[in-house]
């Protein structure tokens, strides 16, 4: 049996539409009582690896992890393809070194000559098709 994977553009368009529709309630997963202790521990830990670094965040979504990771960094560029999810992130209190840009995680077009010495992708990996 031959299984044909959908074209990469079809997958990207489908994911973009999915997150656009879910933007308003995307973070509900972070409000479950049984996850609070682990979330606090992860949030507290996340800044350490990025302290003093110039960080590219790929697919920031609604920015749940952004303020935690960016707390002690030199600079942080949070990127996402969806204006709807990024608008939620931009409305949050962020460290002053955080900037936002609309960037496709697969192509990273639009970064110009920006330089980074660290990268972060919170939940993006779970959405990358194995073929990619």
């Amino acid at each position: 049996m031959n299984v044909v994977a959908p074209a990469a553009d079809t997958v990207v368009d489908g994911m973009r539409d999915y997150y656009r529709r879910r933007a308003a309630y995307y973070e509900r997963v972070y409000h479950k009582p049984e996850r609070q202790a682990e979330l606090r521990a992860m949030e507290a830990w996340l800044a350490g690896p990025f302290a003093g670094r110039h960080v590219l965040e790929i697919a920031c979504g609604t920015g749940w992890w952004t303020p935690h990771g960016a707390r002690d960094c030199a600079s942080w560029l949070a990127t996402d393809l969806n204006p709807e999810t990024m608008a939620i992130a931009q409305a949050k209190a962020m460290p002053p070194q955080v900037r936002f840009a609309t960037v496709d995680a697969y192509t990273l077009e639009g970064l110009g000559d920006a330089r980074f010495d660290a990268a972060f992708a919170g939940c993006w990996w779970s959405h990358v098709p194995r073929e990619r």
Side-chain angles (χ1 to χ4, degrees), residues 38-75:
E38 288 179 343
L39 284 169
R40 297 301 85 77
M42 291 167 64
E43 292 163 358
W45 173 86
L46 191 56
F50 301 113
R53 310 293 294 271
H54 298 276
V55 182
L56 170 63
E57 181 178 6
I58 299 170
C60 70
T62 59
W64 181 272
W65 297 109
T66 307
H68 306 291
R71 187 180 69 222
D72 300 322
C73 71
S75 67

Side-chain angles (χ1 to χ4, degrees), residues 98-118:
V98 174
R99 296 176 300 119
F100 291 89
T102 302
V103 174
D104 182 335
Y106 290 111
T107 66
L108 299 180
E109 288 180 21
L111 292 178
D113 61 355
R115 299 279 184 226
F116 307 93
D117 59 9

Side-chain angles (χ1 to χ4, degrees), residues 9-129:
D9 289 345
T10 302
V11 171
V12 170
D13 289 343
M15 293 301 287
R16 181 182 313 152
D17 186 53
Y18 172 79
Y19 282 107
R20 179 188 55 75
R21 289 189 327 265
R22 289 192 71 223
Y25 58 94
Y26 182 69
E27 291 187 354
R28 288 182 184 172
V29 68
Y30 298 116
H31 298 285
K32 294 185 176 193
E34 67 273 17
R35 296 189 173 159
Q36 297 312 299
E38 288 179 343
L39 284 169
R40 297 301 85 77
M42 291 167 64
E43 292 163 358
W45 173 86
L46 191 56
F50 301 113
R53 310 293 294 271
H54 298 276
V55 182
L56 170 63
E57 181 178 6
I58 299 170
C60 70
T62 59
W64 181 272
W65 297 109
T66 307
H68 306 291
R71 187 180 69 222
D72 300 322
C73 71
S75 67
W76 188 284
L77 180 61
T79 66
D80 205 280
L81 185 60
N82 287 314
E84 294 83 3
T85 55
M86 206 160 34
I88 294 169
Q90 290 172 308
K92 293 179 178 174
M94 294 284 172
Q97 61 272 34
V98 174
R99 296 176 300 119
F100 291 89
T102 302
V103 174
D104 182 335
Y106 290 111
T107 66
L108 299 180
E109 288 180 21
L111 292 178
D113 61 355
R115 299 279 184 226
F116 307 93
D117 59 9
F120 174 70
C123 297
W124 180 58
W125 292 112
S126 62
H127 302 292
V128 177

